[in-house]
């Protein structure tokens, strides 16, 4: 069992406090090959009345032949986006949504997994603009194939190997979606052991939206693909990032990380310019909460372009 409080502050959402708790366990004690499965609960509330609550279930079955991820969440997020063309500034908005997610895959070759992913979202977005209007409540329902290659020596604390994941979602009226659009994501991680307690982790990631991509499914720099961004200024139909992280367990259960990266957010790959590069730089602290499984908790501090952000986490960023 691991849990971590999630204090947070940024100029957009104000002060916030959350909690993430995860339970790790074997589904079958006779199965010594499958990694531990996990159940996670999380919640967050901030001073601008942003809140999120949800649960996630990850399962590894039959000697890791099958992998299943399930998640449910509901949220009311008061955030902002940067309007470059009309106001030249930030516009506040509220996104209220309910979310359900399922992904299942089967090992088809050594280290290769093939499966399907489904996501259902019911969302309503209200913009703080001086115009009277009634925002619609929209449904986005998408289904698509997923393919991954996993040669990591550990699911939770890898020090060697690769993880390459390709995922897609095709939203169509035949699935109950109000809009037709597609999302494609590619993530590739590589782990190199460079000492007895030192690891170099490398990652590239891309998200590409095609068609009538709704506002809430656009790519945005939040989370861990490029740490150091929390204002919502950078948003588009496509996102490309690359980063490297040095991990050093320097004293028993305590470790340090240092990371750097860069990325681009754009509506088209052809629009990317060198001067649009978004940098990221930061450090973090780790504590090995469950040594038998290599599960750590920690905090990262990151600086991006014109802003900083803090991240409290269970497990590594990638």
């Amino acid at each position: 069992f691991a849990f971590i409080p999630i204090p947070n502050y940024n100029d957009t959402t104000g002060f916030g406090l959350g909690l993430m708790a995860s339970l790790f366990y074997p589904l079958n004690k006779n199965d010594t090959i499958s990694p531990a499965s996990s159940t996670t609960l999380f919640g967050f509330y901030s001073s601008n009345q942003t809140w999120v609550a949800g649960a996630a279930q990850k399962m590894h079955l039959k000697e890791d032949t099958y992998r299943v991820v399930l998640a449910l969440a509901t949220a009311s997020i008061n955030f902002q986006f940067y309007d470059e063309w009309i106001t030249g500034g930030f516009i506040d908005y509220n996104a209220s949504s309910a979310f359900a997610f399922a992904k299942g895959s089967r090992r088809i070759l050594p280290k290769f997994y093939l499966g399907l992913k489904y996501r259902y979202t019911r969302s309503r977005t209200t913009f703080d603009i001086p115009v009277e209007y009634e925002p619609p409540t929209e449904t986005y329902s998408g289904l698509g194939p997923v393919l991954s290659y996993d040669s990591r020596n550990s699911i939770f604390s890898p020090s060697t190997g690769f993880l390459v994941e390709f995922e897609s979602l095709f939203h169509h009226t035949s699935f109950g979606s109000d809009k037709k659009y597609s999302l494609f994501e590619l993530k590739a991680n590589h782990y190199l052991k460079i000492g007895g307690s030192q690891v170099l982790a490398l990652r590239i990631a891309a998200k590409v939206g095609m068609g009538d991509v709704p506002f809430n499914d656009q790519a945005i720099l939040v989370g861990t693909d490029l740490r150091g961004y929390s204002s919502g200024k950078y948003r588009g139909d496509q996102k490309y990032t690359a980063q490297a992280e040095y991990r050093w367990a320097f004293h028993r259960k305590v470790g340090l990380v240092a990371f750097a990266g860069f990325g681009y957010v754009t509506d088209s790959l052809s629009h990317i310019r060198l001067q649009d590069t978004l940098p990221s730089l930061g450090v973090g602290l780790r504590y090995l909460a469950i040594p038998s499984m290599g599960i750590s908790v920690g905090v990262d501090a990151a600086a991006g372009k014109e802003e900083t952000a803090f991240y409290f986490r269970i497990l590594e960023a990638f």
Side-chain angles (χ1 to χ4, degrees):
F1 178 74
F3 74 95
I4 186 169
I6 309 173
N8 180 75
Y9 175 78
N10 62 61
D11 292 337
T12 307
T13 60
F15 289 97
L17 181 63
L19 179 67
M20 180 181 295
S22 295
L23 183 66
F24 300 87
Y25 50 88
L27 287 176
N28 183 349
K29 293 183 178 180
N30 295 322
D31 182 354
T32 60
I33 295 178
S34 292
S37 297
S38 64
T39 302
T40 298
L41 301 176
F42 55 90
F44 179 82
Y45 185 84
S46 75
S47 58
N48 80 335
Q49 298 182 331
T50 287
W51 59 267
V52 181
Q57 178 71 46
K58 294 184 178 181
M59 293 179 286
H60 298 263
L61 306 163
K62 292 191 175 182
E63 298 183 339
D64 207 20
T65 301
Y66 298 93
R67 293 180 173 182
V68 178
V69 180
L70 305 171
L72 292 170
T74 182
S76 177
I77 298 174
N78 295 305
F79 204 51
Q80 62 183 12
F81 76 100
Y82 189 75
D83 176 24
E84 180 180 0
W85 305 108
I86 299 176
T87 66
F90 286 98
I91 295 177
D92 294 333
Y93 70 89
N94 170 266
S96 299
S97 61
F99 164 93
F101 172 90
K103 181 172 68 173
S105 57
R106 187 190 191 282
R107 188 171 61 235
I108 55 172
L109 291 170
K111 307 184 189 309
F112 282 92
Y113 291 81
L114 178 66
L116 283 174
K117 173 181 176 181
Y118 174 76
R119 191 191 63 176
Y120 174 91
T121 305
R122 187 80 169 156
S123 180
R124 184 174 186 265
T125 304
T126 305
F127 297 95
D128 186 12
I129 55 177
V131 176
E132 291 290 336
Y133 76 105
E134 182 64 28
T137 299
E138 295 183 313
T139 297
Y140 311 128
S141 178
L143 178 70
V146 297
L147 176 66
S148 64
Y149 171 80
D150 189 356
S151 65
R152 295 172 295 173
N153 63 333
S154 168
I155 294 291
F156 302 121
S157 56
S159 58
T160 61
F162 288 86
L163 174 63
V164 182
E165 297 177 298
F166 171 78
E167 299 186 356
S168 61
L169 278 175
F170 297 92
H171 299 78
H172 197 273
T173 52
S174 60
F175 302 148
S177 183
D178 290 334
K179 289 189 175 182
K180 298 179 182 179
Y181 65 101
S182 302
L183 297 176
F184 304 94
E185 292 188 71
L186 177 65
K187 304 171 186 177
N189 303 343
H190 184 33
Y191 305 92
L192 298 164
K193 195 168 186 178
I194 56 177
S197 58
Q198 301 172 74
V199 174
L200 180 63
L202 307 172
R203 176 180 176 89
I204 58 173
K207 178 180 179 180
V208 176
M210 301 178 65
D212 187 15
V213 182
F215 178 80
N216 286 324
D217 251 343
Q218 287 185 310
I220 185 172
L221 284 184
V222 294
T224 60
D225 267 336
L226 200 65
R227 284 162 281 185
Y229 295 88
S230 61
S231 69
K233 182 175 181 178
Y234 303 101
R235 173 188 291 270
D237 286 349
Q238 301 180 17
K239 175 175 68 174
Y240 305 91
T241 61
Q243 60 180 313
E245 182 170 287
Y246 169 74
R247 300 169 181 171
W248 177 31
F250 67 91
H251 180 69
R252 294 182 181 177
K253 296 183 179 182
V254 182
L256 293 173
V257 303
F259 51 89
F262 66 94
Y264 301 91
V265 178
T266 180
D267 286 328
S268 172
L269 188 60
S270 62
H271 294 167
I272 291 179
R273 302 172 301 173
L274 184 61
Q275 57 265 39
D276 296 328
T277 303
L278 301 172
S280 170
L281 187 68
V283 295
L285 181 67
R286 297 289 184 269
Y287 177 76
L288 191 59
I290 308 178
S292 62
M293 298 181 183
I295 294 169
S296 62
V297 298
V299 58
D300 296 335
K305 188 177 181 179
E306 303 171 351
E307 58 180 311
T308 59
F310 293 88
Y311 305 85
F312 293 78
R313 66 177 68 261
I314 297 176
L315 302 176
E316 298 291 353
F318 59 90

